[in-house]
């Protein structure tokens, strides 16, 4: 067995499950030689968390599926590009600046963000607008808990989420496939909904870079593209913010983007989906199956027009 000194083990190597297990073996080996103290326990990437009654009962996709089949255009447009390229993302130091319509605009370090509220495992379905879906055991905390900290003013009607766009770390940002930085937006009631979370991990461990490390949004009743990755800025606004996908295709990607099997994408049907790992297609559920909890927010709205 090859035992490397701990300084040679990069954080980017720790995240994929196989490598983490490998590292555990390394630690066992190191302990046998009395070297365990040189390896901080935290480096294993485990996140203390509790379970949540808001988790879906669906079978989870595997760690491998969740971390090898991604959309993260900052690292390329291929499904396997993020897993190959996202090692160059530096996740420390990391801050989220919160500004705009709030009484207490402020900057939160990732260390502070990890302590906003107790971390919970939330097993959620993710439905990509392209027609595939997965079930992912996120670790995170309610987005509402973060937004409450800045005391939104009465003018705060929407919230804009802005991802990192650094050409040095993100090769895909050199190509103008989207108007960088990647931005998304939600209405204030959506932001405060208990299902909306900021995820910092999955499968009980720190978020792999390709899944939006160190912190990303997850809004399970909307198409996957609303769940912006690697967020560096949050802006509370009076007017509905622009979003990258809406700018790229205004008649294809609306502001709301609620999962809706009855409203087709102009180029394909949204009635069915393929769960990654399954052969037969499934019927897509209204609001991705979260209708009991979220439909009330859209009462009286024409969801064909406000898609
Ligand atoms: N910054 C950023 N966030 C992003 C994307 C992206 O390209 N850039 N892709 C979105 C899309 S289309 C989907 S389906 C989900 C995929 O999340 P996952 O790779 O963790 O499953 O991330 C979303 N968040
Ligand atoms: Mo997506």
């Amino acid at each position: 067995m090859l035992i490397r000194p701990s300084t040679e083990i990069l954080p980017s190597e720790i995240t994929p499950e196989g490598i983490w297990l490998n590292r555990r073996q390394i630690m066992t080996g190191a302990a046998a030689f009395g070297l365990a103290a040189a390896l901080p326990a935290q480096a294993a990437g485990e996140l203390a968390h509790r379970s949540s009654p808001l988790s879906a009962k669906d079978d989870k996709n595997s760690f491998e599926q969740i971390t090898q089949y991604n959309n993260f255009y900052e690292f390329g447009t291929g499904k396997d590009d993020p897993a190959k390229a996202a090692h160059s993302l530096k996740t420390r130091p990391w801050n989220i600046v919160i500004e705009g319509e709030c009484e207490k605009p402020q900057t939160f370090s990732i260390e502070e963000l990890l302590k906003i509220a107790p971390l919970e495992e939330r097993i959620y379905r993710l439905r990509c607008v392209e027609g595939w879906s997965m079930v992912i055991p996120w670790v995170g905390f309610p987005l509402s808990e973060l937004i409450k900290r800045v005391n939104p003013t009465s003018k705060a009607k929407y919230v804009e989420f802005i991802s990192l766009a650094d050409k040095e770390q993100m090769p895909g940002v050199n190509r103008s496939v989207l108007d960088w930085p990647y931005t998304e937006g939600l209405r204030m009631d959506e932001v405060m909904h208990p299902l909306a979370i900021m995820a910092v991990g999955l499968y009980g461990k720190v978020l792999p870079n390709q899944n939006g490390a160190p912190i990303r949004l997850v809004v399970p009743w909307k198409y996957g593209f609303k769940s912006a990755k690697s967020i560096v800025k949050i802006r509370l606004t009076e007017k509905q913010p622009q979003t990258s996908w809406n700018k790229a295709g205004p008649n294809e990607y609306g502001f709301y983007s609620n999962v809706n099997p009855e409203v087709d994408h102009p180029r394909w049907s949204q009635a069915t989906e393929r769960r990654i790992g399954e052969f037969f297609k499934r019927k897509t559920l209204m609001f991705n199956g979260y209708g009991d909890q979220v439909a009330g927010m859209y009462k009286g709205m024409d969801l064909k027009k406000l898609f």
Side-chain angles (χ1 to χ4, degrees), residues 71 128-130 132 224-225:
N71 272 338
C128 178
V129 74
E130 296 165 336
W132 53 268
F225 67 83

Side-chain angles (χ1 to χ4, degrees), residues 90-299:
K90 262 188 66 199
T91 59
R92 294 291 188 283
W94 193 277
N95 296 308
I96 296 184
V97 175
I98 309 192
E99 59 179 35
E101 288 297 341
C102 58
E103 286 164 6
K104 295 199 283 183
Q106 57 193 290
T107 300
F108 295 89
S109 68
I110 187 63
E111 290 76 19
E112 291 166 324
L113 291 161
L114 287 163
K115 290 185 214 137
I116 292 288
L119 296 181
E120 289 180 6
E121 180 172 76
R122 294 282 187 97
I123 303 168
Y124 282 165
R125 291 177 289 276
L126 179 140
R127 169 58 157 84
C128 178
V129 74
E130 296 165 336
W132 53 268
S133 65
M134 285 204 215
V135 180
I136 305 178
W138 301 110
V139 178
F141 59 88
L143 171 60
S144 62
E145 295 293 334
L146 177 57
I147 299 302
K148 278 184 207 160
R149 297 294 178 97
V150 300
N151 292 5
T153 67
S154 58
K155 281 189 181 169
K157 302 274 193 282
Y158 296 90
V159 179
E160 184 180 7
F161 299 86
I162 301 156
S163 298
L164 180 71
D166 180 354
K167 289 182 179 173
E168 301 290 312
Q169 302 178 52
M170 302 169 134
V173 174
N174 291 296
R175 294 173 49 204
S176 46
V177 282
L178 284 173
D179 187 4
W180 311 111
Y182 192 99
T183 62
E184 259 309 332
L186 296 172
R187 210 170 57 186
M188 195 45 107
D189 56 339
E190 298 174 325
V191 165
M192 301 310 282
H193 195 281
L195 285 174
I197 59 167
M198 295 298 286
V200 294
L202 64 80
Y203 266 111
K205 301 199 241 312
V206 295
L207 208 55
N209 288 357
Q210 59 266 41
N211 293 92
I215 183 161
R216 57 93 58 86
L217 178 63
V218 181
V219 194
W221 69 95
K222 293 178 180 277
Y223 289 117
F225 67 83
K226 298 296 283 183
S227 296
K229 295 179 169 182
S230 305
I231 289 174
V232 291
K233 193 179 274 191
I234 295 178
R235 197 179 285 139
L236 287 71
T237 63
E238 191 172 8
K239 293 207 187 92
Q240 184 176 298
Q242 285 209 302
T243 71
S244 290
W245 279 108
N246 182 250
K247 277 194 262 180
N251 58 336
E252 304 194 354
Y253 312 101
F255 177 78
Y256 285 94
S257 294
N258 292 311
V259 173
N260 190 340
E262 287 156 27
V263 178
D264 289 339
H265 185 280
R267 292 184 278 135
W268 60 83
S269 162
Q270 293 292 30
T272 60
E273 67 197 57
R274 197 173 68 83
R275 182 73 46 91
I276 298 300
E278 291 182 356
F279 180 74
F280 293 106
K281 284 193 170 182
R282 296 174 171 247
K283 280 202 164 121
T284 287
L285 303 174
M286 186 65 199
F287 297 114
N288 203 21
Y290 298 96
D292 288 350
Q293 293 143 90
V294 304
M297 292 193 287
Y298 309 103
K299 253 207 192 120

Side-chain angles (χ1 to χ4, degrees), residues 14-67:
I14 298 166
T15 45
E17 188 153 64
I19 291 164
W20 181 75
L21 289 171
N22 187 28
R23 188 170 195 283
R24 193 181 216 173
Q25 290 156 10
I26 293 167
M27 286 183 77
T28 314
F33 292 96
L35 299 169
L39 303 162
Q42 183 203 345
E46 294 279 353
L47 291 171
H49 63 273
R50 57 190 196 192
S51 60
S52 165
L54 296 173
S55 280
K57 306 280 181 286
D58 305 44
D59 290 336
K60 292 174 287 202
N61 278 94
S62 69
F63 183 88
E64 164 115 67
Q65 289 167 332
I66 295 167
T67 58

